[in-house]
Amino acid sequence: MSSRDLILARIRRALTDVPRSETPADVPVDRGYARTHGERTAAERVALLAENLADYRARVHRTDAAGLPGLLARLLADRGARTVLVPAGLPTDWLAKTGSGTGSASGAGAGAEPGSGSGTARRVVDAAERTPRELAAVDSVVTGCAVAIAETGTLVLDGGPDQGRRRVSLVPDHHVCVVRVPEQVVDSVPQALDRLDPARPLTWISGPSATSDIELNRVEGVHGPRTLDVILVAD
Amino acid sequence: MPPRAAFPRAAAAAVGDARLRANLRHATHTIRAKRAAAVAELPDWELLRAAGAAIKDRTLRHLDHYLPRLEEAVTAAGGRVHWAADAAEANRIVVDLVRATGETEVVKVKSMATQEIGLNAALAREGITAYETDLAELIVQLGDDLPSHILVPAIHRNRGEIRDIFARRMGDWGRPAPEGLGDTPAELAEAARLHLREKFLTAKVGVSGANFMVAETGTMVVVESEGNGRMCLTLPETLISVVGVEKVVPTWRDLEVFLQLLPRSSTAERMNPYTSTWTGTTDGDGPHVFHLVLLDNGRTDALADTVGRQALRCIRCSACLNVCPVYERAGGHAYGSAYPGPIGAILTPQLRGTGTPLDASLPYASSLCGACYEVCPVAIDIPEVLVHLRERVVQGGQVTLRGTRTVIKPARGHAAERAALRAAAWAFDHPGVLRAGQRLAARTLRLHPRRLPGPGRAWSDSRALPEVPAESFRDWWLRTRGERDSHEQP
Amino acid sequence: MRVALFVTCVNDTLYPRTGRAVVTLLERLGVEVDFPAAQSCCGQPQYNTGYRHQAEPLVRRYAAAFRGYDYVVTPSGSCAAMVRDNYPRIGARAAAEGRGRELTEAAESAVPKTYELTEFLVDVLRVTDVGAYFPHTVTYHPTCHGLRLLGLRDRPRRLLAAVRGLKLVELPGAEECCGFGGTFAVKNAAVSAAMGADKARHIAATGAETVCTVDNSCRLHIGGTLARRGSPVRPVHLAEILASTEGDIW
């Protein structure tokens, strides 16, 4: 007998108290819990997102489409980023004021090309052949997101064109995530799951990397990005 | 896990360790108030809790329906599913899978299932080094120690001890700790970051567990904080996940319940920093080979017990440990298992049986205060199961062991207790006898010792004995209201 | 309304004063209370130690002893919880073992009429000011079974708050178990004693003269620990405070 058959047989023997006629749907699950915790206008929802992001030590910035390139350039410049990793599908105008050059991450330290805007960070476009070590050599990463959850202060990335591979938002030490508000913001976890496709690999991010492993106190900054900038871009 | 002393002895040793007690007290009290606040934010908590319990019950009562569906969905998404009846088989499967890659090193995400089966030791025997990457697991691994908490395996260590372990041992495993390492949590986390980064960037094989598996879609879910999980789940070429069969949930939608219950119960956060979900493999993103090892190892034995079954609802949040007054004083090691605390006291004797003195002592490692049940996000009535397992220990009876129904004998060492309680029950069922005993006790007041001999010493060493009053309530009533006393039975 | 007192074996033998206080209190409130002598122990020591079958005769005895009464009042949160939570379980298990519905019926007759003292006062008699006088500083330890199994919530506090002369002081870590736990106190003596020591330390820190519980088994443990440590704090059962009046201080 295979272990598969053995385990399934053990399960059936273990469940002799379950009537043969019972189906999974016969076991009641009361879904009377809340879909959202509170009624909010779109503006209130965005405000709550900002509040909860900040509560978990993300740095929150607000701007509009016209202001985005300048803000991004400033954040990267303030950080002193010489290179910035971008997913292949990141809208090109986002970094219009940063640096226009592209190149290999391994050359990151070899002097940045002058950019067309106010920032100087050189753009590094992610590609399948980039090794983890190349990604680790990049200073910052900019991505979009799929959904943001106001009640928990969570960003969800689903690998869409402006987000790229999961490792892109993981390996560099500084992550700038752009959220289009209000349309990408939902109130709650149940609403977020509704919007997401389980077939895609998802990364849910709530603040920078953290640990509670030393004396059960939360401290920020272990293996993931230690700085998380979130830009809420209004229509 | 080596078989160790029964719980009371190990716990007594821990009680005498002042530093351990201070560490545990500080950590568990820190998290208690935070958890309560995080839970209080959700007015529908009790409904979520009931839904969490119901979803798990639905799954468990139809596990033979959901596991094949999960297998089908994982396979369709490009994963490979393996079934392991016990720890040895699971370890063999993982060893073979690692060998097939040609690698001799793996990076690991913290996983209770692989602790339970002793995977690291099994890999080491085959010349494969497993690097634990969770900060607390790293502390345990570097310190040649054992985990003592489900969420925070190094909870028994304070910052000073952690600094010493890092300074002394990191060099043996890879990049040494920075010179002059301090003991602030930030410095310690930075040291772990530098130490492990090299491993992450070069690892070809990752090993993980999973918090949830969705039968409907074949999706795996790992909930974590540090990002070491994301590293292990996305950078290697091959990913092997070892997961208990009870971790399956029916639908994607069901996650809406558990992703609210787990972080608030566990680290007292609205949401943990990182949650990763993946379904099979994805072209160009993450490992291109994914193996899922489904683990029984006693779970179906627990499933066969209609009272004990509820322990399989557990989502490993560790809220019950953090509120348990016994855990706080005994520490995790006294439980002699990967699963300490109240949940361990009901899970371990079901997974391993009650055959050893240690496992038979675990159901008694509780004052039945009920704090664990109160905080459990899936409403496991831990006191109910503890009492049920006590019955199994002292009375024996029919149980399922490794898939086979068998009748076990009462555990040894309970004969005197059984006789005493039987005598008490008999006396209580004969109030005339009880009254005679009370009167005898009252008449012999002066003869009563201040400290008891034998097993009673355990009581009177730290607690004075009450004086037996001269007149029982029963006699007082008879003396003062006797005429109204309607019916005394013999 | 026919009201019976279930005094419990611990109170009958070790704390008869508590039983007398309940009688005094209820009679003062105009309730005629009876003490059926056929009663004994609820069976909790047997049940909680794993000897479910030995508890069964005591379930039958309880049901029989209190047959014909409308209310059974007990000054023990733990024993009330035993009846309410575990009698139905004992019945269900016996039925599952093919031994009929006898114990289930016993449980069904016992459960609805069993009230812990503060429940009876607040929910049935609808009284919180029982006319008591107790000129002492008191701290209250909510016992685990009263707190978590019965859900007594603020009933004992409301009753205490209405007692004239009484000053109630908060007990730090009040909701933590005192470490008694029946046979736990002997089987895991070291942990039990450590829990008791912490409880005693917290009680001492309040500066109260008196520590009050709704369960004398916990009082036995707390009192024994306080006495061994030479503490002057006096443990009492809530009923004894409520029975006290200006003319008759308990």
Side-chain angles (χ1 to χ4, degrees):
Chain A
M1 196 193 268
S2 72
S3 290
R4 179 185 191 278
D5 294 343
L6 175 70
I7 293 169
L8 289 172
R10 284 175 176 179
I11 291 169
R12 287 186 197 110
R13 260 205 314 278
L15 293 170
T16 46
D17 61 305
V18 177
R20 277 178 165 278
S21 59
E22 183 182 298
T23 68
D26 293 334
V27 184
V29 174
D30 180 354
R31 307 255 180 198
Y33 50 84
R35 293 296 294 166
T36 70
H37 297 92
E39 298 281 313
R40 297 176 193 96
T41 64
E44 287 166 347
R45 193 173 302 128
V46 174
L48 181 63
L49 173 67
E51 187 187 320
N52 283 335
L53 281 165
D55 195 34
Y56 282 150
R57 308 285 190 279
R59 305 194 304 197
V60 183
H61 316 270
R62 304 184 76 148
T63 186
D64 56 17
L68 178 61
L71 177 57
L72 270 170
R74 183 169 64 75
L75 289 176
L76 294 168
D78 287 353
R79 172 89 182 172
R82 290 160 305 170
T83 47
V84 54
L85 182 65
V86 296
L90 196 82
T92 47
D93 56 323
W94 287 9
L95 291 180
K97 295 195 173 175
T98 299
S100 60
T102 59
S104 75
S106 52
E113 298 166 30
S116 60
S118 56
T120 55
R122 191 168 42 77
R123 226 180 302 168
V124 177
V125 180
D126 185 47
E129 62 275 11
R130 289 210 188 278
T131 64
R133 205 174 288 285
E134 284 177 309
L135 301 184
V138 177
D139 294 320
S140 298
V141 55
V142 177
T143 72
C145 77
V147 179
I149 308 169
E151 290 182 0
T152 58
T154 302
L155 313 167
V156 188
L157 277 59
D158 73 354
D162 60 348
Q163 298 150 56
R165 301 187 289 171
R166 283 171 283 174
R167 63 183 63 183
V168 165
S169 59
L170 171 66
V171 180
D173 198 18
H174 176 217
H175 179 199
V176 187
C177 186
V178 177
V179 186
R180 293 193 300 276
V181 303
E183 72 264 27
Q184 288 191 313
V185 186
V186 297
D187 282 298
S188 65
V189 171
Q191 289 180 341
L193 285 161
D194 275 352
R195 280 211 196 180
L196 293 163
D197 176 1
R200 307 176 74 108
L202 304 179
T203 303
W204 298 45
I205 298 171
S206 308
S209 163
T211 181
S212 300
D213 279 353
I214 301 165
E215 300 175 4
L216 262 171
N217 263 316
R218 181 180 157 117
V219 289
E220 275 80 23
V222 201
H223 303 296
R226 287 179 289 185
T227 307
L228 175 63
D229 278 305
V230 181
I231 303 179
L232 307 178
V233 186
D235 295 334
Chain B
M1 292 283 155
R4 270 159 291 175
F7 182 84
R9 223 168 92 199
V15 164
D17 182 339
R19 181 156 71 168
L20 173 66
R21 276 187 66 188
N23 292 352
L24 283 169
R25 184 180 166 77
H26 172 70
T28 56
H29 284 251
T30 298
I31 196 75
R32 274 182 209 175
K34 287 188 191 167
R35 187 211 72 95
V39 165
E41 273 189 7
L42 299 188
D44 59 335
W45 183 259
E46 284 307 318
L47 291 165
L48 282 166
R49 184 175 184 245
I55 292 166
K56 285 285 185 176
D57 283 352
R58 172 183 282 180
T59 313
L60 292 170
R61 289 174 73 86
H62 296 278
L63 204 51
D64 55 335
H65 167 80
Y66 288 117
L67 288 174
R69 288 192 66 174
L70 172 76
E71 177 184 42
E72 199 181 314
V74 169
T75 308
R80 271 204 60 198
V81 177
H82 312 259
W83 301 68
D86 55 27
E89 185 175 14
N91 287 332
R92 195 167 59 245
I93 291 169
V94 177
V95 165
D96 288 348
L97 290 172
V98 176
R99 278 221 181 115
T101 65
E103 296 294 320
T104 56
E105 296 188 344
V106 304
V107 286
K108 278 188 70 198
V109 194
K110 190 172 97 60
S111 133
M112 296 310 299
T114 59
Q115 280 287 357
E116 173 192 326
I117 62 175
L119 177 64
N120 290 6
L123 289 170
R125 282 194 294 274
E126 304 292 334
I128 299 162
T129 308
Y131 294 101
E132 292 290 353
T133 65
D134 169 77
L135 179 51
E137 289 284 8
L138 176 69
I139 297 163
V140 168
Q141 187 171 45
L142 295 178
D144 295 320
D145 200 354
L146 289 166
S148 70
H149 188 278
I150 289 174
L151 173 75
V152 193
I155 194 172
H156 54 291
R157 300 289 196 190
N158 65 27
R159 57 188 72 191
E161 295 172 273
I162 296 168
R163 189 255 328 271
D164 294 346
I165 291 169
F166 278 10
R168 204 172 59 242
R169 292 301 311 280
M170 267 184 171
D172 300 340
W173 287 78
R175 180 175 172 153
E179 282 293 314
L181 177 65
D183 70 355
T184 65
E187 281 175 277
L188 297 171
E190 168 72 11
R193 178 187 179 93
L194 294 171
H195 177 74
L196 286 170
R197 187 129 284 227
E198 195 57 30
K199 310 279 183 220
F200 290 135
L201 297 183
T202 55
K204 295 285 185 281
V205 181
V207 173
S208 83
N211 295 88
F212 308 101
M213 311 184 280
V214 181
E216 167 188 62
T217 59
T219 307
M220 315 292 295
V221 182
V222 165
V223 170
E224 52 131 356
S225 295
E226 296 169 10
N228 65 308
R230 294 178 65 192
M231 294 279 181
C232 296
L233 298 171
T234 55
L235 294 183
E237 292 163 4
T238 299
L239 173 61
I240 304 165
S241 300
V242 182
V243 189
V245 290
E246 83 285 13
K247 295 283 175 163
V248 66
V249 297
T251 66
W252 176 249
R253 187 189 171 185
D254 292 328
L255 294 176
E256 73 189 18
V257 174
F258 297 108
L259 290 179
Q260 296 191 73
L261 290 173
L262 180 54
R264 289 177 196 263
S265 299
S266 182
T267 49
E269 292 163 312
R270 290 183 198 99
M271 188 61 81
N272 49 291
Y274 298 132
T275 297
S276 297
T277 78
W278 72 98
T279 304
T281 55
T282 304
D283 282 343
D285 186 356
H288 49 80
V289 178
F290 169 56
H291 296 280
L292 171 60
V293 182
L294 292 172
L295 178 70
D296 178 352
N297 203 37
R299 285 162 178 73
T300 54
D301 294 348
L303 189 67
D305 185 319
T306 54
V307 177
R309 180 183 295 165
Q310 58 186 307
L312 298 177
R313 288 184 200 146
C314 177
I315 56 174
R316 311 282 189 263
C317 71
S318 68
C320 64
L321 280 63
N322 297 334
V323 296
C324 179
V326 178
Y327 174 86
E328 181 191 327
R329 290 165 182 89
H333 292 152
Y335 295 80
S337 152
Y339 304 104
I343 186 64
I346 63 170
L347 203 50
T348 305
Q350 295 201 83
L351 297 179
R352 300 201 297 219
T354 50
T356 69
L358 170 63
D359 292 341
S361 72
L362 288 176
Y364 292 93
S366 168
S367 66
L368 304 180
C369 82
C372 48
Y373 177 33
E374 188 175 53
V375 298
C376 177
V378 286
I380 301 169
D381 190 341
I382 293 175
E384 180 191 22
V385 182
L386 285 166
V387 170
H388 174 70
L389 293 172
R390 291 175 182 188
E391 183 181 327
R392 179 182 297 180
V393 170
V394 298
Q395 300 197 345
Q398 196 174 73
V399 300
T400 305
L401 274 178
R402 283 165 283 282
T404 306
R405 283 227 182 113
T406 105
V407 174
I408 58 165
K409 283 191 240 160
R412 276 178 301 178
H414 292 267
E417 165 190 287
R418 185 179 304 111
L421 283 166
R422 184 178 291 143
W426 183 80
F428 285 136
D429 204 21
H430 296 79
V433 175
L434 178 65
R435 207 174 57 197
Q438 286 169 340
R439 285 175 181 164
L440 181 67
R443 273 201 301 274
T444 57
L445 263 181
R446 268 170 308 155
L447 307 176
H448 291 184
R450 302 301 299 158
R451 287 175 194 264
L452 295 173
R457 244 195 80 184
W459 172 277
S460 56
D461 271 355
S462 58
R463 288 148 291 202
L465 287 168
E467 285 182 16
V468 178
E471 185 179 51
S472 72
F473 178 84
R474 199 172 283 276
D475 279 349
W476 172 81
W477 180 272
L478 198 64
R479 181 165 63 76
T480 58
R481 325 277 170 120
E483 74 283 356
R484 258 173 49 197
D485 188 12
S486 37
H487 46 287
E488 177 166 3
Q489 292 174 1
Chain C
M1 160 163 107
R2 295 199 63 204
V3 179
L5 167 65
F6 171 47
V7 76
T8 81
C9 58
V10 165
N11 293 327
D12 183 12
T13 307
L14 294 176
Y15 297 104
R17 242 173 98 78
T18 300
R20 283 156 53 191
V22 176
V23 173
T24 304
L25 171 66
L26 291 180
E27 288 179 348
R28 194 170 78 220
L29 295 171
V31 177
E32 191 181 314
V33 59
D34 205 355
F35 177 77
Q39 66 179 275
S40 66
C41 169
C42 65
Q44 186 170 200
Q46 287 74 19
Y47 184 80
N48 277 356
T49 314
Y51 301 92
R52 172 169 55 91
H53 291 119
Q54 292 184 11
E56 289 178 354
L58 300 173
V59 176
R60 283 189 206 99
R61 172 165 287 276
Y62 185 97
F66 296 111
R67 192 158 290 139
Y69 289 96
D70 303 312
Y71 296 99
V72 181
V73 181
T74 182
S76 165
S78 191
C79 303
M82 170 69 190
V83 172
R84 207 173 290 170
D85 284 2
N86 293 329
Y87 279 20
R89 280 187 186 130
I90 290 170
R93 297 279 290 170
E97 288 164 8
R99 292 187 286 122
R101 279 188 41 85
E102 184 216 353
L103 283 160
T104 299
E105 282 162 14
E108 283 168 358
S109 91
V111 171
K113 62 184 166 199
T114 298
Y115 285 80
E116 184 275 335
L117 175 66
T118 67
E119 293 177 322
F120 184 73
L121 295 173
V122 175
D123 302 352
V124 179
L125 300 184
R126 303 202 170 278
V127 57
T128 47
D129 184 350
V130 298
Y133 173 73
F134 192 78
H136 297 287
T137 309
V138 175
T139 192
Y140 170 65
H141 166 63
T143 60
C144 297
H145 291 178
L147 181 74
R148 283 182 274 265
L149 298 188
L150 290 182
L152 295 183
R153 290 194 288 276
D154 64 346
R155 290 181 186 86
R157 289 172 164 284
R158 282 162 64 197
L159 288 158
L160 282 170
V163 175
R164 272 167 289 283
L166 184 148
K167 186 177 168 220
L168 188 61
V169 291
E170 283 304 315
L171 176 62
E175 298 191 353
E176 274 180 47
C177 179
C178 70
F180 176 61
T183 46
F184 173 77
V186 175
K187 283 180 183 285
N188 277 286
V191 177
S192 167
M195 289 162 69
D198 287 343
K199 182 60 74 181
R201 200 162 40 76
H202 285 143
I203 291 168
T206 65
E209 302 157 74
T210 303
V211 56
C212 161
T213 72
V214 292
D215 237 310
N216 275 339
S217 45
C218 307
R219 170 202 188 165
L220 176 73
H221 186 244
I222 293 171
T225 306
L226 288 169
R228 191 57 99 216
R229 297 160 70 92
S231 165
V233 181
R234 180 181 154 220
V236 300
H237 190 284
L238 175 66
E240 293 161 38
I241 292 177
L242 299 182
S244 270
T245 57
E246 302 208 29
D248 182 18
I249 295 198
W250 280 62

